[in-house]
């Protein structure tokens, strides 16, 4: 049981996850107007691969020739989706921003376009999906924002190190995990779910204060705790699914 819990808490999204937007994908803007496979366009800074005009971020389309542009690696996920860079985030607003941009940038819209624009539409669409997934859940959003605020510091520690450092936390999570394993009815499972949700709400409120008050380092231990509660929360959701 303990091994399963630790493996869940070590999933790629919850441990040493680093957002791709920070890893600077190769096929993006930033090579002084020398797009791959195209003739160089002499200009300073970033410019359209087709006509050399300079789109302003987030310049998905050239303002001059309307050509679709490659992803702009200068933008973080919040900027990409046109959202404020904050931990509190309206899920409805996030979904609407994602839908609006996907309608404009999806590869289905570029079936008759040039090979270059088809490739860029694939990259843009994939990046939008990554941004949406990262910002949708509070934990992944907090980890992403922490990476933006503290880019030179490692992500929160691995689950084994945390368990050794905080036995009280592990004991509380294991107690709920045992209650879940012993639950004989959906009512029992829902009571465990309510306990997990209450703890997550409490942690989220503290994370909000840490980021809003300019104390991102104070969010680190809170996000570490959220990893555990999210892992058992996911198990609770599986038990609540219709069988």
């Amino acid at each position: 049981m303990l091994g399963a819990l630790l493996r869940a808490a070590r999933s790629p999204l919850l441990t040493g996850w680093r957002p791709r937007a920070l890893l600077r994908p190769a096929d993006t803007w930033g090579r002084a107007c020398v797009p791959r496979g195209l003739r160089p366009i002499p200009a300073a800074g970033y410019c359209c691969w087709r006509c050399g005009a300079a789109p302003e971020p987030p310049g998905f389309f050239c303002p001059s020739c309307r050509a679709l542009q490659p992803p702009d690696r200068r933008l973080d996920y919040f900027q990409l989706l046109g959202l404020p860079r904050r931990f509190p985030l309206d899920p409805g607003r996030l979904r609407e921003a994602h839908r609006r941009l996907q309608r404009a940038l999806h590869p289905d819209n570029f079936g008759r376009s040039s090979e270059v624009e088809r490739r860029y539409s694939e990259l843009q669409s994939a990046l939008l999906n990554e941004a949406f997934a990262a910002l949708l859940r509070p934990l992944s959003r907090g980890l992403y924002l922490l990476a933006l605020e503290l880019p030179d510091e490692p992500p929160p520690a691995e689950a084994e190190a945390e368990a050794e450092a905080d036995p009280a936390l592990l004991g509380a999570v294991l107690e709920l995990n045992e209650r879940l394993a012993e639950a004989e009815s959906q009512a029992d499972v829902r009571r465990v779910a309510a306990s997990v949700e209450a703890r997550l709400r409490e942690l989220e409120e503290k994370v909000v204060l840490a980021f809003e008050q300019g104390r991102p380092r104070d969010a680190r231990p809170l996000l570490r705790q959220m990893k555990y509660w999210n892992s058992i929360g996911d198990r609770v959701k599986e038990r609540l699914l219709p069988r």
Side-chain angles (χ1 to χ4, degrees):
M1 182 182 299
L2 174 59
L5 179 61
L6 291 177
R7 283 194 297 274
R10 291 199 304 272
S11 69
L13 182 61
L14 306 184
T15 54
W17 173 74
R18 304 297 283 183
R20 291 196 186 183
L22 297 181
L23 297 180
R24 297 177 178 267
D27 201 350
T28 59
W29 289 7
R31 290 186 296 279
C33 298
V34 187
R36 186 176 63 185
L38 303 174
R39 64 179 181 83
I41 303 175
Y46 299 90
C47 63
C48 172
W49 59 270
R50 177 184 286 170
C51 72
E56 291 295 326
F60 297 109
F61 294 91
C62 173
S64 178
C65 71
R66 300 305 300 165
L68 178 64
Q69 302 301 302
D72 187 343
R73 70 187 183 192
R74 297 170 294 178
L75 304 179
D76 60 45
Y77 288 163
F78 295 96
Q79 293 171 316
L80 182 73
L81 290 162
L83 300 171
R85 184 166 145 175
R86 301 177 59 204
F87 181 74
L89 187 63
D90 179 1
R93 186 177 176 186
L94 172 64
R95 290 188 176 92
E96 175 55 32
H98 178 251
R99 282 195 296 265
R100 174 176 53 82
L101 290 172
Q102 281 289 20
R103 282 197 297 266
L105 304 174
H106 196 273
D108 288 350
N109 298 331
F110 297 89
R112 297 184 179 181
S113 300
S114 67
E115 181 180 351
V116 173
E117 286 185 288
R118 289 198 301 271
R119 171 60 177 160
Y120 288 161
S121 71
E122 293 171 358
L123 293 172
Q124 292 279 20
S125 182
L127 185 57
L128 284 173
N129 288 337
E130 291 172 11
F132 176 76
L135 300 185
L136 181 60
R137 299 186 68 182
L139 176 56
S140 56
R141 187 190 320 136
L143 291 172
Y144 180 75
L145 188 55
L146 189 67
L148 293 178
E149 297 290 335
L150 304 173
D152 298 324
E153 297 189 13
E158 292 280 341
E160 294 90 343
E162 294 167 37
E164 184 177 336
D166 194 350
L169 168 64
L170 182 58
V173 174
L174 286 177
E175 179 183 354
L176 272 182
N177 200 57
E178 290 172 359
R179 284 175 53 189
L180 178 63
E182 296 169 359
E184 297 180 352
S185 67
Q186 289 291 286
D188 292 336
V189 177
R190 283 193 289 270
R191 280 191 284 271
V192 175
S195 298
V196 173
E197 290 169 2
R199 183 56 179 157
L200 283 171
R201 283 196 300 271
E202 179 184 343
L203 287 169
E204 285 178 31
E205 290 172 1
K206 293 179 179 180
V207 171
V208 168
L209 288 177
F211 281 121
E212 295 291 285
Q213 295 177 359
R215 299 180 285 107
R217 285 184 179 84
D218 290 352
R220 291 175 63 88
L222 301 171
L223 292 168
R224 288 199 296 265
Q225 292 182 50
M226 286 179 68
K227 292 179 186 180
Y228 283 103
W229 295 108
N230 267 272
S231 65
I232 192 171
D234 289 341
R235 294 193 62 198
V236 168
K237 291 176 183 176
E238 291 177 2
R239 289 287 302 272
L240 290 173
L241 291 174
R243 296 181 182 276

